[in-house]
Amino acid sequence: MIAHPSDLPRLAKKKFLHDAAEHVRDTSHRSFVRKALGGYYTSRDTQKARFRDWEQARDAASLAKWSAVNRLDELLPRFVANFEANGGQVHWARTAEEARDIVLNLLRAAKAKAVIKSKCMTSEEIHLNAAMEEDGYGVVESDLGEFIQQLRGEPPYHFVFPCMHVRRDEISDLFQKNLGTAPTDSPEELTMIARRHMRQLYVDADVGITGANFLVAETGQISITENEGNARLTAALPRVHIAISGIEKVVEHLDDLAVLLPMLATAGAGQPMTCYNTLYAGPRKDGECDGPEEMHLVLLDNQRTAILADPEQRDSLHCIRCGACLNVCPIFKNVGGFTYGTTYQGPIGSVITPHLRGLADWNHLSGASSLCGACTDACPVRIDIHHHLLHNRRNAARTAPSRWERLGHKLFVMVARRPWLFATGGAVFRKTLGLVKAVRPPLVRNWLATRDLPAAPEKSFRAEWRSRKDDILHERS
Amino acid sequence: MNARDTILARIREALRVPAPLPHLKSRNAQAAAVPAAAGGHAGLTVLPLDVATPWLPDGGDSPAEQLQLLTENLEKLRATVVQVADAQAAAEYVARLAHDRGWGRVAYHDHSLVGPLAAALPCETYRVDAPACDKRALESCDAGITTCEALISQTGSLLVSSATGGGRGLSILPHVHVVVATLDQIVPTLGDALHQAKERHAGRLPSMLSFITGPSRTGDIERILVLGAHGPKELFVILVG
C-alpha cells in the first residue's frame, strides 16, 4: 500500500515526531496504557512458569517457523494442494490492490447483502473495509475491540488489543450514541451490549471474513486463534467463508501447533491457550450438519517476498503476531500505538514496515527504539528484532545517506587529517561549548531539549598527554 | 505471468540465498537443526513432538494425575467440571441444571453419550443434525450439548470437531455449552490430541477441529476479563466414569 504521496516527502516521519512528542506529554494516557498492560506481565509470567523449559520451547517454536519460511517454495504449494483437496479455493494476490479486488469479486459473486468480519490484520494492511464501503458493502467488525474501533472511526491501536487505549466511559458514550443503549461503567455490561447487538448479525450475514494464524502444509488446514468466539461464529453461520492470510503463515506439520499455539497465547496475552484455536479444512463436508458452502483463501504477498529475499531479516517473517514485543517496548508504552502510523505497531512493525512501504519514508521507525532488546527477549520465535532495527538504519544510510550526515563526515575527515586544524578546532570548541549551552542555537536545540552538555575540559587530551606522559610511562615500567 | 506464478517465482528467487539458523539456546535444538540444515533444508520432522514436548507445560503421567490437572486447569479457566458415575447421573445433572436455569430449549446432536441427556431434559429440545442445522432455530436455544474428541490435561482444552460434535454452530452459538465425555478421552498434551485426530480422520479431515479452552472471553475493555464475549458464557464439562 502506498500510503504517502511522493510530493510530500518525509511526511510519515514528521507526523511520527509530532505525535510522539504529543503523546509523551500526555501522562494520563501513558499511565492508562501502563496500567492496562500491568496485568499482562503478571499473567504472562505465571503461564511462562508452567512451561518446563520456556527457553527450549522458544527454540522449538523458532525452528518450526525457520524451517517453514526457508522452505516456503516447497511448503506453500504443498499447503495449497492439500487445501484445494479439502475443497477450499485459493486466490493469489501480489499486491494489496489485487487482494481487495479478489475479495470484492467474491462478494459480488456471492451476491452478498450482509458481511461479518472477525479480526484480520491483513485486511487492515490492504484497507479492505474502506474498499468494501466504497463498493456499497456494509461490513461489521465482530471482535469487540475492532467493533469499538470501527465505531470510533480509528484503526487498531495495538494489533492484538485494538482498543486498549479507550476508557470504559468513552465506550459507554460510544454505545449510547451509536446503539442507543443506557450508560454504564461496567466492562461486563458493555461487553454484553456488543454481544446482544452482534448476535442477529451473525445469523443474517451471508459472507464471513476472517484472517488466519497458521497454514498447515501437511493437512491443508488453516488455523485461527481467538478468545471471543466471534471468528468461530463468522466461519460457522454465513454461506461463504473468506479467509485472508500472508504467504508466510505456513507451518509444515500439524504437530508444530502443539508448540506454537500455547506459546502464542502465553507470550501474547498471558494465557495457557487462547480460548478458541480452530482448524478449518475447507467448507462443510458431506454428513456435516452446518458450515459454509464455499471457503476461499486469499494468499497475500504485498512485499513479503522482498523480506524473504533479505536473508539477514528473513526471520522477521517468523512473526506469529502475538504482540509480546509491543507489550514490553518502552517506546510503544510512551508514544502509543497510533504514533507509528502503521498497520503493525511496535518493534516488529518498525522492522517490517520499511519493507512493506519503502525504507526511504519509513526508516525513522528504526530510530523508534532504545535498543534495550526487550522485544527480542520477549519474542516467542526468537526474531532478532532490535538488531533488525539497526540493520534497517545501516541499509538506509547506505542507500540514501542524509545530506547533513555526508557533509559532517566530509568535514570531520578534512579536520582529522590535519593535526594543526584538529588542535585549533578543539581549542575553539572548548572555548565555545559554554556559549552553545547558553545560546542553544536552532541546530542543537532539539538535542539539548532532552540532554545535558558536559562541561568542557580545560586542556585537550593531547595537551594532557604531553604533560603527564613521562609519569604514566614511568609508572608502567 | 499470473499472480500465483509470479509469487512462487519470487519465493524461489528469494530463497536462493540461505538464511542463517536462529540463535538457539539449547543443544538439543541445535543437534536437531544443524544436520537438517546441512541436508539442504530444515526437515525437522522430529522436533516439535519428540523433542519439544518435555519443554512444554506438564500434562501429567498417570490417568489420575491427568484428571487432576485437567480439573484444575478447567476450574482456573472458570469452567465447571463435574465427575459422575454413569450416564444416568449425567442425565440427572443436566436435567437439574435445565430446571434451575429455566432453559426453554436445548440443542444437541445425535451421539450415544448425548442422546440420553437430551431425552431426560424437562424442556424442549432441538436436534441439529436431523439432517441439517437451522441457524435461527439454534440461535433460540439456551444451551447446546455436545461430546468432544479429546480433553487435554496440559491446558484444560477440549477438542471438538464438526464431524463428531454436531457441526460448527452447536458448540459456539448457544449461551451455555455442556460437554459430556468419558474419562478415557483425556490425553496429556495438545500434541497427543492432534496425533489422535490425524489418525482418526486420516484421509478425510472434518471441516472444523476446534480446541476450546474455557468459556468465551474478552479483555478488550481496559484489559479486564469478561466471560461470554460472543461464544458461550458458561462451559460445563461432565465426565462420566
Side-chain angles (χ1 to χ4, degrees):
Chain A
M1 189 66 202
I2 309 300
H4 42 86
S6 54
D7 54 347
L8 291 171
R10 301 290 184 271
L11 185 69
K13 181 180 179 179
K14 267 190 190 151
K15 187 184 168 300
F16 181 90
L17 292 175
H18 173 267
D19 292 0
E22 215 107 294
H23 271 89
V24 166
R25 266 186 239 119
D26 187 349
T27 47
S28 69
H29 173 89
R30 275 165 55 197
S31 60
F32 182 77
V33 167
R34 271 166 200 272
K35 189 169 160 252
L37 285 173
Y40 160 78
Y41 299 123
T42 323
S43 47
R44 178 203 57 188
D45 291 345
T46 311
Q47 294 308 326
K48 262 168 81 167
R50 293 183 63 247
F51 280 71
R52 279 171 286 182
D53 192 330
W54 174 256
E55 289 305 319
Q56 297 208 47
R58 284 176 79 199
D59 282 350
S62 161
L63 276 175
K65 287 296 295 186
W66 179 81
S67 106
V69 165
N70 283 284
R71 284 188 301 143
L72 202 57
D73 53 342
E74 170 201 340
L75 295 181
L76 188 61
R78 195 193 299 172
F79 164 77
V80 168
N82 287 327
F83 182 78
E84 287 172 342
N86 288 330
Q89 297 173 51
V90 172
H91 310 266
W92 301 76
R94 281 168 286 210
T95 60
E97 193 185 357
E98 281 185 0
R100 289 195 298 269
D101 287 344
I102 291 166
V103 175
L104 292 174
N105 282 330
L106 289 171
L107 293 177
R108 260 171 238 133
K111 299 194 170 53
K113 287 187 205 73
V115 182
I116 193 130
K117 213 168 140 234
S118 72
K119 194 168 174 350
C120 171
M121 289 313 295
T122 40
S123 81
E124 300 283 343
E125 184 184 327
I126 64 172
H127 301 282
L128 181 63
N129 286 9
M132 283 175 61
E133 275 155 24
E134 218 167 89
D135 253 33
Y137 294 104
V139 56
V140 181
E141 291 286 353
S142 58
D143 173 85
L144 178 59
E146 293 279 346
F147 177 59
I148 290 167
Q149 289 310 93
Q150 189 183 27
L151 291 181
R152 287 170 66 87
E154 278 178 348
Y157 180 93
H158 178 301
F159 62 71
V160 177
F161 312 138
C163 69
M164 63 173 286
H165 64 301
V166 189
R167 294 190 317 268
R168 63 183 85 176
D169 57 293
E170 297 172 284
I171 298 169
S172 172
D173 290 349
L174 189 73
F175 284 179
Q176 201 180 346
K177 201 176 110 206
N178 288 277
L179 312 175
T181 51
T184 168
D185 67 350
S186 145
E188 157 94 30
E189 185 44 39
L190 289 167
T191 304
M192 291 312 127
I193 291 172
R195 177 186 174 95
R196 284 191 293 269
H197 172 74
M198 213 64 78
R199 240 172 132 70
Q200 205 54 45
L201 301 176
Y202 290 117
V203 176
D204 293 340
D206 34 32
V207 176
I209 299 179
T210 70
N213 294 80
F214 302 100
L215 313 174
V216 185
E218 77 168 332
T219 57
Q221 292 164 302
I222 74 167
S223 176
I224 301 179
T225 294
E226 49 139 359
N227 268 313
E228 299 183 358
N230 60 313
R232 280 279 312 267
L233 288 163
T234 302
L237 304 182
R239 198 179 60 75
V240 178
H241 175 195
I242 304 172
I244 308 169
S245 171
I247 52 171
E248 82 283 16
K249 300 273 176 190
V250 176
V251 293
E252 183 173 14
H253 306 104
L254 192 56
D255 293 349
D256 293 337
L257 298 186
V259 182
L260 290 166
L261 297 180
M263 296 202 72
L264 170 61
T266 295
Q271 292 180 274
M273 274 280 269
T274 317
C275 197
Y276 300 102
N277 286 285
T278 310
L279 289 149
Y280 293 101
R284 172 183 185 174
K285 297 262 157 77
D286 283 345
E288 293 181 354
C289 63
D290 62 1
E293 289 164 25
E294 294 169 29
M295 179 178 184
H296 300 271
L297 175 66
V298 182
L299 285 175
L300 179 68
D301 178 353
N302 203 27
Q303 297 298 315
R304 283 164 176 76
T305 44
I307 305 180
L308 194 69
D310 178 354
E312 191 173 55
Q313 293 193 39
R314 192 174 291 161
D315 70 351
S316 60
L317 293 176
H318 298 185
C319 178
I320 55 174
R321 304 280 187 265
C322 68
C325 60
L326 282 68
N327 300 345
V328 299
C329 177
I331 307 297
F332 177 85
K333 281 185 278 191
N334 284 302
V335 306
F338 291 143
T339 299
Y340 290 87
T342 57
T343 307
Y344 307 101
Q345 309 81 10
I348 189 66
S350 298
V351 169
I352 62 176
T353 306
H355 294 273
L356 302 177
R357 296 184 181 176
L359 186 58
D361 288 328
W362 294 90
N363 177 48
H364 61 278
L365 294 179
S366 323
S369 162
S370 62
L371 299 179
C372 64
C375 47
T376 306
D377 283 344
C379 180
V381 291
R382 292 203 191 286
I383 302 172
D384 201 358
I385 302 173
H386 71 294
H387 284 116
H388 291 336
L389 292 171
L390 287 175
H391 297 147
N392 277 345
R393 288 187 200 181
R394 178 204 60 204
N395 295 347
R398 259 188 207 155
T399 50
S402 100
R403 219 179 332 143
W404 288 108
E405 252 177 61
R406 262 186 312 188
L407 191 70
H409 285 147
K410 259 189 202 155
L411 211 67
F412 178 78
V413 170
M414 193 183 84
V415 173
R417 290 168 98 175
R418 295 169 177 81
W420 64 270
L421 194 56
F422 191 87
T424 323
V428 171
F429 198 62
R430 281 193 301 282
K431 290 277 181 285
T432 51
L433 200 60
L435 198 66
V436 169
K437 217 166 153 178
V439 177
R440 302 166 80 87
L443 258 178
V444 293
R445 196 170 292 158
N446 276 345
W447 198 87
L448 282 174
T450 51
R451 297 170 185 87
D452 205 10
L453 265 186
E458 297 267 308
K459 284 195 265 180
S460 74
F461 176 82
R462 294 197 300 172
E464 193 86 18
W465 175 250
R466 269 195 302 274
S467 67
R468 291 170 55 191
K469 180 172 66 172
D470 293 341
D471 295 343
I472 292 168
L473 293 178
H474 182 72
E475 261 173 46
R476 279 217 163 172
S477 61
Chain B
M1 266 206 294
N2 62 24
R4 174 185 176 275
D5 294 343
T6 312
I7 293 171
L8 290 175
R10 282 180 190 163
I11 291 172
R12 276 192 299 274
E13 179 63 29
L15 289 177
R16 281 173 54 185
V17 186
L21 268 174
H23 302 288
L24 302 173
K25 293 270 162 72
S26 83
R27 289 212 180 140
N28 282 355
Q30 267 165 2
V34 171
H41 64 72
L44 297 165
T45 43
V46 293
L47 196 76
L49 269 187
D50 302 348
V51 182
T53 303
W55 309 336
L56 298 172
D58 192 12
D61 295 326
S62 66
E65 261 178 52
Q66 290 164 12
L67 174 63
Q68 196 197 338
L69 261 174
L70 176 76
T71 310
E72 275 172 25
N73 283 331
L74 277 166
E75 280 168 355
K76 272 187 218 150
L77 294 159
R78 304 216 216 156
T80 308
V81 191
V82 203
Q83 203 185 334
V84 294
D86 51 25
Q88 169 83 28
E92 279 165 20
Y93 181 86
V94 180
R96 203 162 47 244
L97 201 60
H99 177 265
D100 293 349
R101 302 293 178 95
W103 288 344
R105 199 180 198 200
V106 174
Y108 72 105
H109 68 103
D110 182 36
H111 186 275
S112 58
L113 274 174
V114 178
L117 267 63
L121 283 171
C123 61
E124 214 183 301
T125 55
Y126 172 60
R127 196 183 132 189
V128 295
D129 50 354
C133 177
D134 172 17
K135 55 189 179 182
R136 285 169 212 281
L138 181 63
E139 200 277 324
S140 73
C141 292
D142 299 297
I145 309 177
T146 74
T147 182
C148 65
E149 298 209 341
L151 304 108
I152 298 105
S153 54
Q154 183 182 45
T155 54
S157 308
L158 321 164
L159 180 64
V160 300
S161 106
S162 52
T164 60
R168 296 191 186 193
L170 181 58
S171 56
I172 195 73
L173 189 57
H175 302 285
V176 179
H177 182 199
V178 180
V179 176
V180 55
T182 52
L183 288 178
D184 59 5
Q185 287 183 293
I186 302 174
V187 297
T189 68
L190 293 167
D192 293 315
L194 288 167
H195 255 315
Q196 207 185 59
K198 224 164 39 175
E199 272 173 29
R200 178 178 293 136
H201 303 289
R204 194 167 183 281
L205 285 166
S207 76
M208 184 201 80
L209 276 165
S210 187
F211 287 105
I212 298 178
T213 310
S216 155
R217 59 198 56 218
T218 184
D220 273 349
I221 299 172
E222 299 190 8
R223 305 292 311 127
I224 293 166
L225 176 70
V226 176
L227 298 184
H230 296 280
K233 277 164 138 74
E234 289 180 284
L235 175 65
F236 289 88
V237 180
I238 301 173
L239 294 168
V240 183

